[in-house]
Amino acid sequence: MSHRPAWAPDEIDLERPAPARMYDYYLGGSHNFAADRELAEKALGAWPELPQVTRANRAFLRRAVTFLAGQGIEQFLDLGSGIPTVGNVHEIVAAVNPRARTVYVDSDPVAVAHSRVLLAETPNARFVHADLRDPERVLADPALDGFLDLGRPLAVLMFAVLHFVPDSDDPAGIVAAYRRASVAGSYLAVSHGTRDYFPERIRSLEEVYSRSSATMTMRSHAEIMDLMSGYELVPPGLTDMTRWRPDEEAALPDPLDGDVKRYSGYGAVGRLE
């Protein structure tokens, strides 16, 4: 029987690994359990670069969100936001526009507990405990009422979450539901793992994640493009996430020697015309 830390909500099954807590482990966080760490180590056996990949994803998030705030977007809906870490969306946008508002959405109880503590004294950010696969439930949550105005442009963020939505759950339909709830001038930002470069290795990783609370489905460039149907992609389009509008951080030594194949992740930002 695993020891339950004081910060762990009672409803959590400590013996069932969860992707959000495994992601926290890759980033060097402490909000994970023995079962999460054990399965994460198996995932690292299949894809040793995962810690570098998760950091690259966070760097892409920072660049994309900074771009969106610079375009005048003042409302952000972060779906599958995960456990809070350095450089959260509301902190990034505040550097550009202190009036911007952010709503985080996640179903993991640890993410819920820590996000609510983090946001307790943050007036411009709120948290919704819900599954992003239920857009109707998310968009009807009382936390959005009077906080986000869906009659104005909105940025929907889906960073490293759609590969945890299997085809059977209709990821394209889920994205389309959020698109229909958005007005012209809104944006969608996505990062997504791909099997394009190392299909055998990715199959091994997917097998590892089949033992967690959410299965993994990596997709091809064409399949990810289909998920962004209805949006006009801003340059450079859907590309390797490390190559999406690199900034001064790109001048630093790349831990994977600039080999986009070892990152195996695409990123894109699209605008709703």
Side-chain angles (χ1 to χ4, degrees):
M1 180 68 67
S2 298
H3 169 69
R4 182 178 296 275
W7 50 262
D10 291 339
E11 66 269 26
I12 293 179
D13 181 355
L14 302 187
E15 306 302 324
R16 190 179 190 196
R21 300 193 297 271
M22 293 169 68
Y23 190 92
D24 177 70
Y25 178 71
Y26 303 141
L27 286 171
S30 58
H31 296 111
N32 47 75
F33 309 125
D36 302 312
R37 295 189 288 273
E38 181 180 351
L39 194 61
E41 286 295 334
K42 289 184 176 7
L44 288 167
W47 193 359
E49 297 91 348
L50 278 172
Q52 291 79 25
V53 172
T54 55
R55 287 175 175 80
N57 181 67
R58 294 298 299 183
F60 168 63
L61 178 151
R62 176 184 55 77
R63 298 195 306 275
V65 169
T66 300
F67 166 79
L68 292 167
Q71 298 303 300
I73 296 297
E74 297 184 332
Q75 305 184 108
F76 295 80
L77 182 63
D78 189 1
L79 300 168
S81 52
I83 296 169
T85 187
V86 175
N88 295 291
V89 170
H90 73 279
E91 296 167 327
I92 298 168
V93 300
V96 180
N97 179 2
R99 299 182 305 279
R101 295 182 172 187
T102 301
V103 172
Y104 296 99
V105 179
D106 208 285
S107 59
D108 182 83
V110 173
V112 173
H114 287 280
S115 295
R116 285 180 172 161
V117 169
L118 174 72
L119 302 176
E121 298 182 5
T122 305
N124 283 355
R126 294 184 180 181
F127 190 88
V128 172
H129 184 189
D131 191 319
L132 67 89
R133 293 174 296 180
D134 188 354
E136 184 175 346
R137 156 76 181 84
V138 170
L139 296 168
D141 192 278
L144 274 67
D145 190 26
F147 189 73
L148 294 187
D149 180 358
L150 297 183
R152 297 174 54 240
L154 168 76
V156 175
L157 313 178
M158 305 182 85
F159 292 105
V161 293
L162 285 172
H163 49 238
F164 292 112
V165 180
D167 293 339
S168 58
D169 284 343
D170 188 17
I174 292 168
V175 176
Y178 290 106
R179 186 185 70 238
R180 289 193 297 270
S182 305
V183 300
S186 294
Y187 287 83
L188 170 68
V190 167
S191 64
H192 197 303
T194 184
R195 61 172 179 266
D196 283 348
Y197 298 125
F198 298 112
E200 292 299 326
R201 210 163 82 165
I202 292 302
R203 272 193 284 273
S204 296
L205 185 69
E206 290 172 337
E207 194 281 325
V208 171
Y209 270 88
S210 70
R211 289 172 264 169
S212 79
S213 61
T215 59
M216 175 180 278
T217 304
M218 298 293 214
R219 296 185 170 93
S220 68
H221 188 280
E223 289 170 325
I224 300 168
M225 278 290 293
D226 287 343
L227 296 177
M228 300 197 72
S229 176
Y231 290 91
E232 182 71 26
L233 300 192
V234 302
L238 179 65
T239 187
D240 297 286
M241 61 184 176
T242 58
R243 291 181 173 173
W244 195 92
R245 300 194 174 210
D247 55 16
E248 69 282 352
E249 191 176 273
L252 300 174
D254 188 318
L256 299 186
D257 301 319
D259 186 352
V260 296
K261 295 180 180 179
R262 295 171 69 189
Y263 286 103
S264 287
Y266 292 125
V269 173
R271 187 175 191 274
L272 187 60
E273 302 295 337

